[in-house]
Amino acid sequence: MAYSIDRRALIAGGAAVAAAGLSGSAFAQAKPNLRFSAVFSEQDIRAEMMKRFGEAIKEDFTLQPYFGGNLFKQGTELVAMQRNNLEMGNIAPQDISNQIPEWSIVTSAYLFRDADHLKKVFASDVGSDLKKAAEDKLNIKILGPTYFGARQVGLRPKKKITTPADMAGIKLRMPGGDAWQFLGQSLGANPTPMAYAEVYTGLQSGAIDGQDNPLPNVQNMKFYEVSSQIVLTSHLVGFDLLCVTDRVWKAMSPQKQAAFQAAADAAMDWSAKQHLDKEKELVDFFKKQGLEVYTPDVAAFRDFAQKKYLASDLAKSWKPGMIEKINAL
């Protein structure tokens, strides 16, 4: 399984594919390699999810996963897929919203209640509309949401956080992009863009005061080693979208598409359960590491965030009635 690659070989291989034309019929006759890129580490539960998925589709495809942003950096995977430089990716909904503004609704704080609600929304008519918009405009096939935990705030300073007012002046690392930066603002913080791989040293040096991530990520990346506390804001149900390029999807027969989707569904369901079990265990783990772990006034955070979103330009792109449909599920 490849985790590093000779860039010249990759370019040469891509050129060879382009020269061959790779029509749908030619693609279907071969056993294609599917390069998959994600920012999460090889130790992440989702890395095991992809290994399970690769095993399930091995009769028809060879999956080549690249973890830790080693092939494409965070936020660049979607464009790589659109340019046919990448076959599969775990795409952040924030990256989709950069190109399709109506998608920003699913990046807003306190929208989804939990992992089950997330899954129901994407299986509903609302989810079908969102997926169709992405597939029509971005030339990708969305296989489904990959849940990775509720996002919590981890801080280096020992300042007690009860309401959003206490977050004033806190340099909170957020990924780049308008949707991510606005999420940081909706918590009352001063959002600071920084690459995921740089967060540990950013906390260590004091370049940032904190980060927001699900608890399994905090453990995997060892952010707890350079933090004093975790504030259980649960402000966002963390998920990405497991995607394959439209070119790959349309080259499959209907039967292979069904098998491919079933393999993805099984892998995503396994991963979601693993994350939910892990979240329950990690509060005690972090406390044993010497961190203070506590729940703030979540109602105050929710009220502050929702008012920020409804008054923002982001909400202007949301389809009327969509919030109500999501809440009703």
Side-chain angles (χ1 to χ4, degrees):
M1 188 173 292
Y3 299 105
S4 62
I5 192 165
D6 185 307
R7 193 167 294 276
R8 287 179 295 181
L10 177 61
I11 293 170
V17 169
L22 197 61
S23 67
S25 60
F27 189 91
Q29 291 169 5
K31 182 179 176 181
N33 291 328
L34 301 181
R35 292 165 297 176
F36 169 81
S37 179
V39 68
F40 53 74
S41 73
E42 190 181 353
Q43 288 70 46
D44 195 288
I45 291 169
R46 290 166 293 173
E48 178 61 29
M49 173 190 81
M50 292 309 299
K51 292 173 189 175
R52 287 169 174 262
F53 173 71
E55 182 67 20
I57 63 168
K58 68 179 181 180
E59 295 302 317
D60 297 312
F61 299 95
T62 299
L63 185 70
Q64 293 183 312
Y66 296 86
F67 304 127
N70 288 331
L71 187 58
F72 291 99
K73 292 183 180 179
Q74 185 176 29
T76 67
E77 303 97 336
L78 177 56
V79 173
M81 291 179 69
Q82 290 173 289
R83 294 175 176 173
N84 284 324
N85 293 325
L86 181 68
E87 288 74 46
M88 293 192 71
N90 207 46
I91 307 301
Q94 288 80 0
D95 295 336
I96 295 177
S97 74
N98 287 338
Q99 297 190 45
I100 306 177
E102 71 184 78
W103 260 80
S104 66
I105 192 171
V106 300
T107 72
S108 61
Y110 297 104
L111 178 69
F112 299 112
R113 294 187 290 274
D114 50 32
D116 184 59
H117 187 216
L118 168 71
K119 184 177 178 178
K120 285 179 178 176
V121 169
F122 274 91
S124 72
D125 290 343
V126 172
S128 295
D129 289 345
L130 288 168
K131 287 185 285 188
K132 188 176 187 306
E135 290 160 9
D136 290 348
K137 296 176 183 178
L138 306 181
N139 297 321
I140 59 171
K141 168 66 179 178
I142 295 176
L143 299 168
T146 58
Y147 173 80
F148 57 89
R151 296 183 81 95
Q152 317 291 1
V153 171
L155 297 177
R156 186 171 180 261
K158 294 183 178 180
K159 179 182 180 182
K160 182 78 172 181
I161 305 295
T162 302
T163 68
D166 299 321
M167 294 288 289
I170 294 288
K171 293 178 292 184
L172 187 68
R173 176 269 171 182
M174 302 297 293
D178 292 343
W180 281 116
Q181 297 300 295
F182 192 81
L183 176 62
Q185 293 175 30
S186 78
L187 298 174
N190 177 21
T192 303
M194 180 178 286
Y196 190 58
E198 298 171 7
V199 174
Y200 186 99
T201 54
L203 287 166
Q204 192 175 43
S205 67
I208 53 174
D209 299 316
Q211 50 76 34
D212 87 309
N213 270 291
L215 299 184
N217 292 30
V218 175
Q219 183 189 43
N220 291 337
M221 300 301 288
K222 300 188 184 297
F223 296 152
Y224 64 88
E225 294 180 346
V226 283
S227 302
S228 71
Q229 61 172 312
I230 294 175
V231 189
L232 299 174
T233 50
S234 299
H235 54 275
L236 192 72
V237 169
F239 74 98
D240 288 325
L241 287 308
L242 183 59
C243 301
V244 64
T245 64
D246 193 52
R247 181 179 68 102
V248 172
W249 180 255
K250 288 184 176 177
M252 298 185 219
S253 67
Q255 293 80 6
K256 285 190 177 181
Q257 287 178 345
F260 197 88
Q261 182 68 65
D265 290 341
M268 289 184 290
D269 286 346
W270 175 87
S271 177
K273 184 180 185 305
Q274 296 298 311
H275 278 95
L276 289 166
D277 291 345
K278 192 75 172 177
E279 285 180 287
K280 293 176 184 176
E281 302 169 2
L282 284 177
V283 169
D284 286 340
F285 171 81
F286 293 129
K287 287 180 177 179
K288 289 177 181 177
Q289 302 303 311
L291 277 70
E292 187 179 3
V293 183
Y294 61 94
T295 302
D297 185 344
V298 174
F301 271 93
R302 180 182 293 109
D303 184 61
F304 181 85
Q306 289 182 345
K307 286 179 179 177
K308 289 276 286 187
Y309 274 98
L310 290 173
S312 72
D313 289 338
L314 290 173
K316 294 177 182 177
S317 66
W318 300 352
K319 287 187 175 180
M322 190 171 284
I323 286 275
E324 290 76 13
K325 289 179 181 179
I326 290 173
N327 288 338
L329 288 167

